[in-house]
């Protein structure tokens, strides 16, 4: 079954299907040969699945608040009475890092382990991972375990993520500068270092490292950290992020709520319900040309532009018209 995009919000970051800036504008039947361990290689001919768990890895300022509110609507009895789980903790006020991020991660994992047990033959559940919940770069074993546990019950684990254009994402996050006790002058200075921790995280960095700034590991060469603790190159970061997407994520979209929602409904068979429009900044954010250029250069140096461009190519058929 397919579902109308009219149920999805036209929120900030989303783009028109007829807009050449939208990857869907160039969508074609590009053929790909995938590794057997790549989630894109799975033939999904018998949909919807009978049961399972939808896991949403929520990167801030990607339209994830709308998705999360949409998921929570399915807790209503008339929409399936679907069990919903989350455990996350923001940084302390003033932009101070959470003092025990690994404890928060362990608590999320403990709750997730319990949440995915004893699924009924026609039961669906939802899990929401957000700030401090999961440090994907060093927690891949959890992704493997959760999938194994769910599939052992004859059900499916559907891992999902929404990404966003790196510059739009970085500019949008300026709305929280004051709450982080920061200034525009210092906001993005951490990007000049490959390992420095900032009071916010780019799309690529949050995907890999969440917002952990105080992880304590003996093998970290520079002491406590969280962002790129081993000082790898941007090429290694991008390759690692794509590896995690390929191995573990079933629904990957860039600023495309309609496609995200449509795939969820096709996989689960849930009753379609409109997605709300949430967490919208109604103020005005002003930037100088130099500020935008500085952000763009930092995001290029960090690997975000390469990462999202490749995701668009692989998951949205971006530039596929060149292959025709």
């Amino acid at each position: 079954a397919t579902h109308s995009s009219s149920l999805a919000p036209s929120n900030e970051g989303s783009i028109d299907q007829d807009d050449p800036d939208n990857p869907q504008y160039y969508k074609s039947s590009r053929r790909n040969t995938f590794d057997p361990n790549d989630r894109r290689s799975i033939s999904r001919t018998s949909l919807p699945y009978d049961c399972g768990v939808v896991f949403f890895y929520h990167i801030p300022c990607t339209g994830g608040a709308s998705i999360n509110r949409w998921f929570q609507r399915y807790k209503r009895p008339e929409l399936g009475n679907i069990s919903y789980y989350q455990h996350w903790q923001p940084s302390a006020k003033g932009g101070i890092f959470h003092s025990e991020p690994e404890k928060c991660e362990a608590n999320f994992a403990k709750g997730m382990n319990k949440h995915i047990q004893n699924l009924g033959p026609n039961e669906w559940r939802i899990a929401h991972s957000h700030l401090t919940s999961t440090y994907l770069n060093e927690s891949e074993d959890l992704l493997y375990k959760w999938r194994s546990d769910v599939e052992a019950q004859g059900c499916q684990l559907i891992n999902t993520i929404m990404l966003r254009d790196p510059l739009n994402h970085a500019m949008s996050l300026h709305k929280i500068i004051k709450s982080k006790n920061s200034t525009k002058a210092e906001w993005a200075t951490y990007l000049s270092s490959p390992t420095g921790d900032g009071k916010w995280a780019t799309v690529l960095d949050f995907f890999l490292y969440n917002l952990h700034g105080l992880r304590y590991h003996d093998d970290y060469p520079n002491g406590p950290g969280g962002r790129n603790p081993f000082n790898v190159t941007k090429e290694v970061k991008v390759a690692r992020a794509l590896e995690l997407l390929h191995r573990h994520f079933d629904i990957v979209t860039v600023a495309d709520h309609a496609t995200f929602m449509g795939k969820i409904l096709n996989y689960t068979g849930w009753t379609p319900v409109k997605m709300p429009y949430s967490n919208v900044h109604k103020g005005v954010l002003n930037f100088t040309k130099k500020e935008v250029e500085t952000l763009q250069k930092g995001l290029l140096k960090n690997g975000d532009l390469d990462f999202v461009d490749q995701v668009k190519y692989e998951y949205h058929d971006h530039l596929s018209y060149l292959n025709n």
Side-chain angles (χ1 to χ4, degrees), residues 52-54 82-83 115-119 123-127:
V53 178
V54 175
I82 294 175
S83 177
H115 184 61
I116 63 177
Q117 299 304 317
N118 302 313
L119 287 160
E123 182 181 5
W124 282 95
R125 298 177 190 171
I126 298 168

Side-chain angles (χ1 to χ4, degrees), residues 39-67:
R39 299 300 298 174
R40 294 172 298 164
S41 70
I42 296 173
S43 176
R44 303 186 188 271
T45 55
S46 300
L47 297 176
Y49 297 118
D50 293 329
C51 58
V53 178
V54 175
F55 173 85
F56 175 44
Y57 188 80
H58 178 183
I59 298 176
C61 280
T62 57
S66 296
I67 293 172

Side-chain angles (χ1 to χ4, degrees), residues 90-140:
S91 302
K93 290 184 178 180
I96 300 172
F97 286 112
H98 192 285
S99 60
E100 296 180 296
E102 290 173 277
K103 182 177 180 180
C104 183
E105 181 182 24
N107 287 336
F108 176 85
K110 181 179 179 181
M112 182 69 176
N113 290 337
K114 182 178 179 180
H115 184 61
I116 63 177
Q117 299 304 317
N118 302 313
L119 287 160
N122 299 107
E123 182 181 5
W124 282 95
R125 298 177 190 171
I126 298 168
H128 172 226
S129 173
H130 194 30
L131 293 164
T132 326
S133 299
T134 316
Y135 190 88
L136 291 181
N137 188 51
E138 296 176 5
S139 305
E140 190 174 9

Side-chain angles (χ1 to χ4, degrees), residues 204 208 233-246 307:
L204 174 60
L208 289 174
T233 65
K234 78 167 187 178
E235 290 82 8
V236 172
K237 285 171 62 175
V238 171
R240 174 57 172 161
L242 290 168
E243 179 180 65
L244 288 169
L245 286 180
H246 297 163
F307 172 55

